[in-house]
Amino acid sequence: MPRFVTEGIPGMNYTGLKESGASGVIFPVRGFSSGSFVYYPEEILKDESEKAREAGLSVYWRMTRLFAEEEIDRVRSFLEEYAVASDGIYYTDPCVYVFLKETGQARKGIFAEDTLTTNARDIQRYLDLGIARCLISPECTKEEVLSIAEKVKNTEILVYGPLSLAKSRRPFLTSYGVQSPFTAADPTGEYAIRVVEEECGTTVFEKDRLDASEYLPAFSRVTEYFQVRGFTKDEKELLEVLRKLNSAVKGDIPAEKRNGGFYAGS
Amino acid sequence: MPDRKRIELLAPAGDLERVKIAIRYGADAVYCGGKEMSLRNRAGNLTTEEIREACRFAKEHHAKIFVTVNMIPRDEDFKDIDTYLSDLERAGVSAIIVSSPEIVKRSKIAAPSMEVHLSTQQSVMNSAAVNFWKEFGADRVVLARECTMEEIRKIRSRTDLDLEVFIHGGMCSSFSGRCVLSNYTSARDANRGGCAQSCRWRYREENGEREISFGSKDLDASRYIGEMIDAGITSVKIEGRMKTAFYLASVIRSYRYLIDRYEENGILSVKDRCIASRIMGNVQNRETGPGFLEGIPGIDGLITPGTRDIVAQDYLGDILEYDAKEMKALVCMRNHLETGESAEILGTGGVSDIFTVDSLTSEEGIRKEVSNRPMEKLWIPVKFPCEAGDYLRRVRK
């Protein structure tokens, strides 16, 4: 049974999200996440999570930033107060795992780095820490994803949304005096990117969203968790995408051009 | 001066010849790639037999050899990993530099006498992450190049694990290991040794004229050597397994000088810094800066579109032998040189006095005014001793 876990939009109709086929909602937490389309400030997390739970959704925090030394006390305080209110926490920096473990909640960790988890053995090592699951890096090909997920249980696959190509601590756009987001292409014009700068740095995305619909029938045979990364503030658009993804699992895939990302191969 | 462990100067080498040069010019330890699982595919890298020879040479000179096993692997890359790790251990390798958690664990079983150093590919930026990796089995963590000096000091104060910090060389524009721009634009896997440096390309605004590039200036942390030593950093690291022997000799000797002077006197004088700078020479082919050490860099930390690499052509040649009786050196020439130009010699002891190249004479005794054939061998009068392996450098007026 596939479970779609999607980034939410603050104040959205969570019942609608559930009815569109989501099993869980991710709240990218302002200040603790990066490269997300929208953020949830701390002060609304508890209210929003209550609403999401009432709709029958699992609730997750996204805290996928790398944290500098002066920030980790704030990370610890946040987790001490809020971790208990979530069903899982997406993270990349081991400090999040360390602080979850301190409070006996390591099992809530979901390691979700975009690049480091490219093989079954490393993923198993992360899972051996006692966390809930691990994202298979979307830089893998479809065949690699299938092979990894066949070998390791409790994996998650990114199936829709912006595909991150690079993360930096540098303020690239401010440096050049241009506004965020900035859409550009390489000298050949063939490879388009979308550059987003935030307070904590810059994320470079592939310009076109990832849409792994055509791989879902195969992916759903090897794992059950599928992630949709935030791409819109339009609730209707999000719900429509979820419905399409759910249909795609059953093989109902509209013939249209879509970006299969690295899953499609080089 | 407080009693403390001597800081380690860690230098790169792309092949066996450069391993030996790095050690001769003052590296306490040298890191190089093996033929397996290394992140610099184009660096040549060393066979296991060459690694054994590197370890033998290093031991003879009281130095150590580290081997990079730091690619972010796919499943097939693990084939024969245990055998490879135990081969490295038997060869005498002191440590491996690793980013894969599986290899951290496997190494502890297959090659328990080798230390495991966690690669900067894991982008460790805080003490909790350092302590996580310590518990996981790492003996040392290479901090992310994104740490400021202040952050490095704080991390140091909150962990007892050995810490390694980059002090010189190329910088990724993004967090190391978190960039697949090269995969996207060139189908070359950045995290498996194929980085095409797509960050240095120009990216033109869609429906506009503005261009940006993500390319970073190279790191030069020579100003921070004293602070690194005082902070209790275990190892300072030079980047550049692809760099030439001449580059390595210049950079290593310069940092060796700074470290030795600071450890001797507890302070670096203006004269010390001038001497170190002179030893380094114009070896850089890109602009340099302090990276993140002074804080998060803005435009001043970037190589902006249109900036060209620096082509100094100051590397004139390699000294092949010195004739003490005739007071002349046989040089294998690498760049254009005319009589009357000023030059100096870089050796393992530092740089010589500046002298004028009075004449150029072929091995057959034919006098020349100009050397313009790379690899030609010429005798040049040098009034002080030098030795095979030293470098002849141009001095610009």
Side-chain angles (χ1 to χ4, degrees), chain B residues 154-178:
Chain B
K154 283 184 185 160
I155 294 168
R156 175 67 292 167
S157 70
R158 291 179 174 180
T159 176
D160 58 3
L161 194 69
D162 284 355
L163 298 178
E164 183 176 304
V165 176
F166 275 96
I167 50 160
H168 202 91
M171 297 266 290
C172 287
S173 62
S174 298
F175 288 110
S176 296
R178 265 72 174 184

Side-chain angles (χ1 to χ4, degrees), chain A residues 66-70 72-73 92-95 97-99 101 111 113 115-122 125-126 129 139-141 144 147-148 151 164-173 175-179 182-187 190-193 195 202 204 206-207 262 266, chain B residues 72-75 78 81 100-102 105-106 121-123 125-129 132-133 135-136 146-147 151 154-155 158 171-175 177-181 183-185 187 189 191 201-206 210-214 216 292 296-299 301-305:
Chain A
L66 292 168
F67 297 102
E69 183 64 22
E70 63 268 25
I72 60 172
D73 291 338
T92 59
D93 194 313
C95 80
Y97 167 79
V98 169
F99 299 144
K101 195 178 170 197
F111 188 66
E113 181 49 67
T115 55
L116 299 179
T117 44
T118 53
N119 65 77
R121 293 199 199 187
D122 281 338
R125 291 291 182 185
Y126 287 113
L129 296 168
E139 65 165 294
C140 293
T141 63
E144 287 168 339
S147 166
I148 291 168
K151 290 175 192 150
S164 166
L165 299 173
K167 291 177 191 169
S168 176
R169 199 182 182 188
R170 297 170 192 262
F172 285 115
L173 299 183
S175 297
Y176 283 102
V178 298
Q179 295 286 312
F182 182 78
T183 309
D186 78 316
E190 196 177 340
Y191 299 102
I193 56 173
V195 187
T202 307
V204 180
E206 195 174 349
K207 184 191 162 198
F262 295 111
S266 303
Chain B
I72 295 171
R74 299 298 211 269
D75 278 317
F78 290 108
I81 185 68
S100 155
E102 168 71 2
K105 294 287 190 191
R106 295 260 26 114
Q121 296 291 105
Q122 283 285 355
S123 301
M125 289 221 298
N126 60 69
S127 55
F132 166 83
W133 285 109
E135 198 170 314
F136 200 87
E146 283 76 9
C147 293
E151 288 163 353
K154 283 184 185 160
I155 294 168
R158 291 179 174 180
M171 297 266 290
C172 287
S173 62
S174 298
F175 288 110
R178 265 72 174 184
C179 178
V180 289
L181 261 181
N183 307 44
Y184 174 53
T185 57
D189 193 337
N191 292 326
W201 297 0
R202 296 173 182 209
Y203 291 86
R204 175 170 284 214
E205 182 178 25
E206 192 179 56
R210 289 177 297 186
E211 286 186 329
I212 65 171
S213 169
F214 307 108
S216 170
F292 283 75
I296 298 169
I299 194 75
L302 298 175
I303 305 276
T304 52

Side-chain angles (χ1 to χ4, degrees), chain A residues 183-234:
Chain A
T183 309
D186 78 316
T188 67
E190 196 177 340
Y191 299 102
I193 56 173
R194 185 168 176 273
V195 187
V196 177
E197 184 181 308
E198 299 166 290
E199 205 176 326
C200 62
T202 307
T203 309
V204 180
F205 294 100
E206 195 174 349
K207 184 191 162 198
D208 294 334
R209 276 178 234 158
L210 169 73
D211 180 349
S213 295
E214 66 186 283
Y215 309 124
L216 269 165
F219 286 168
S220 61
R221 285 195 286 274
V222 290
T223 195
E224 59 179 328
Y225 283 98
F226 301 107
Q227 187 187 135
V228 176
R229 204 161 279 178
F231 62 93
T232 180
K233 290 178 185 170
D234 181 343

Side-chain angles (χ1 to χ4, degrees), chain B residues 7 35 38 76 99 106 115 199-200 203 325 349 359 385-386:
Chain B
I7 201 165
K35 294 290 183 191
S38 173
E76 65 268 24
S99 52
R106 295 260 26 114
E115 284 194 0
C199 58
R200 299 194 182 278
Y203 291 86
K325 194 176 162 197
S359 65
C386 55

Side-chain angles (χ1 to χ4, degrees), chain A residues 121-151:
Chain A
R121 293 199 199 187
D122 281 338
I123 289 175
Q124 188 59 57
R125 291 291 182 185
Y126 287 113
L127 291 169
D128 289 346
L129 296 168
I131 62 175
R133 54 186 189 268
C134 188
L135 181 77
I136 298 174
S137 290
E139 65 165 294
C140 293
T141 63
K142 179 189 96 171
E143 289 73 22
E144 287 168 339
V145 170
L146 291 172
S147 166
I148 291 168
E150 273 170 5
K151 290 175 192 150

